[in-house]
Amino acid sequence: MTAPSAAAGSPPDLTLVPALYAAFDDGSLRLHFQPEVDLRNGSVPGMEAHPRWQHPERGVLGPAEFMPIAAAAGLVHQVDQWVLRMAVTEARTWHRMAVGTPIRPPRLWVNVDGRQLASPAFVAEVDRLLSGRLLPAGAIGLEFSERDLGLAAPVVPRLLERLRALGVAIAVESFGTWFGSLAMFDLLPLDLVKLDGVFLRATMRDLEGEAVVAAIARLAHQRRLTVVADGVDTARLATRVVDLGCDRAIGPVFCPPVPVEDARLIALGRGRPDRWYRPPARTDDRMREWVRAAAG
C-alpha cells in the first residue's frame, strides 16, 4: 500500500491521527473490492482489495487521503499488515462459503508496497498469515508496482519465487508508468501484468501507440502472462483493449470498488457487477454484450 507524499498536496491533517489509531479496532477501517472482468466471457476471475476509512465526520476516505496521515504517524506498516491480514481472512471466507458448490471464488489481489518487498521478514509474514487458512494455491495474489520491482534488490526474483512456492500469485501493476523494461517479463516470476489506465489512454491516441500496447500484450502472452487493462473508464477504451490483446479489464465502466457484502455476492456468483454500474444508452453493442456476460 503506497503512502502518497504530503508534498504532492496539502499537509496531512494530524488531528486525525488519534482516530486513525482507533480505526484498527472500531471497524471504521475496512476493505472494498473491485471485480476484474474476463473480456472473453464476462466472468470475474479476480478482485482487488482496496482499503477505505469510514471517518464519522469526513465520510469514506481512500488511501490517497489517509495514507499521508498514516505516514506522519508512523502507521504505514501497521496499515499494510492490516490490509494483507484482512484480505487473507476474506479470501478464506469466500472459499468456506463456496464449499459444496462448483464455484471457484475469484483470486483476491493485494497491492504490496516496496517497503514490504524490501523487508527480510515479509515472506515469513505471508507464510504465517496463510498457514492453517486452508486456502488453495492461487487464492491470494500480490501486486507490486513496476517502479518497485524495477528498483528492487537483486534478491527479489528469489523472494518472489519463495512467495509463489507458498501458493501466492505475483503481478506487476501500474505497468507503463515508470521507465521499466520488458525484460522484467523474463527476469521475474510473474503470473499477471496490469497495464496502467493512464498509460493506456496516453499511448492509444494513434495507430503507433496502439501497436505498442499490442506488442506488450503479445510479448506477455508469449511468457504465459495474463494481461489486464487497469482503469478502464469508457466503453471505447474497453473495446480497444480487447482488440489489442488484453485478457481482462478492471475499472469503473464495469464496476467500482464495492463493500464486502456486495463483493461476496459477486465472488459466489450470486451478484452482478452491473448492479453497481448501468451503462449509458449510447454504449456500443459489444460493450453491452460484455456487461450482460459479466452479469450472467
Side-chain angles (χ1 to χ4, degrees):
M1 183 59 55
T2 302
S5 170
S10 58
D13 185 353
L14 298 184
T15 65
L16 296 178
V17 170
L20 184 55
Y21 269 104
F24 293 100
D25 299 314
D26 65 15
S28 59
L29 195 62
R30 58 193 64 174
L31 291 181
H32 284 203
F33 305 84
Q34 188 166 24
E36 173 188 284
V37 177
D38 189 312
L39 293 171
R40 297 166 299 180
N41 57 30
S43 65
V44 179
M47 288 203 205
E48 283 185 350
H50 296 265
R52 296 288 186 267
W53 182 20
Q54 180 70 54
H55 191 273
E57 298 173 359
R58 306 199 182 189
V60 179
L61 305 179
E65 297 163 294
F66 72 78
M67 286 305 288
I69 301 168
L75 292 174
V76 170
H77 183 61
Q78 189 171 342
V79 173
D80 290 340
Q81 287 183 312
W82 180 89
V83 170
L84 185 55
R85 184 173 66 253
M86 291 298 102
V88 171
T89 299
E90 183 60 22
R92 174 57 186 146
T93 297
W94 294 355
H95 283 269
R96 188 173 63 247
M97 294 174 70
V99 170
T101 76
I103 295 171
R104 179 180 176 87
R107 174 178 292 155
L108 184 50
W109 290 99
V110 182
N111 182 268
V112 178
D113 186 76
R115 289 181 303 273
Q116 292 171 278
L117 186 62
S119 170
F122 180 61
V123 175
E125 183 177 323
V126 173
D127 189 16
R128 178 180 57 80
L129 285 173
L130 294 176
S131 180
R133 299 284 180 154
L134 302 178
L135 284 169
I140 292 291
L142 300 181
E143 301 179 345
F144 304 88
S145 74
E146 177 190 22
R147 184 178 189 277
D148 285 342
L149 289 177
L151 294 175
V155 298
V156 163
R158 188 164 66 251
L159 183 151
L160 297 181
E161 287 286 11
R162 291 171 61 196
L163 288 170
R164 291 183 89 194
L166 297 176
V168 174
I170 303 295
V172 52
E173 57 103 17
S174 300
F175 195 86
T177 59
W178 190 69
F179 298 104
S181 169
L182 292 174
M184 184 178 292
F185 296 171
D186 289 315
L187 298 175
L188 299 177
L190 301 173
D191 299 284
L192 180 147
V193 56
K194 188 170 293 184
L195 305 181
D196 186 78
V198 174
F199 165 74
L200 289 172
R201 287 187 290 275
T203 304
M204 294 167 53
R205 293 176 177 173
D206 51 39
L207 294 178
E208 289 80 5
E210 290 191 345
V212 170
V213 174
I216 293 173
R218 186 164 54 250
L219 182 63
H221 288 152
Q222 290 172 355
R223 273 52 176 180
R224 298 185 178 181
L225 304 180
T226 299
V227 181
V228 178
D230 199 4
V232 176
D233 56 1
T234 67
R236 181 181 181 279
L237 181 58
T239 301
R240 293 307 300 141
V241 295
V242 71
D243 288 341
L244 296 174
C246 292
D247 306 297
R248 304 173 187 172
I250 187 168
V253 77
F254 295 101
C255 185
V258 296
V260 62
E261 296 82 4
D262 298 326
R264 288 176 182 175
L265 293 177
I266 297 173
L268 298 174
R270 301 170 187 164
R272 301 153 38 121
D274 68 344
R275 172 178 172 182
W276 297 272
Y277 170 76
R278 291 291 187 274
R282 295 184 62 186
T283 299
D284 58 77
D285 291 339
R286 190 171 190 178
M287 188 63 192
R288 288 196 191 95
E289 291 177 6
W290 291 339
V291 173
R292 282 199 298 270

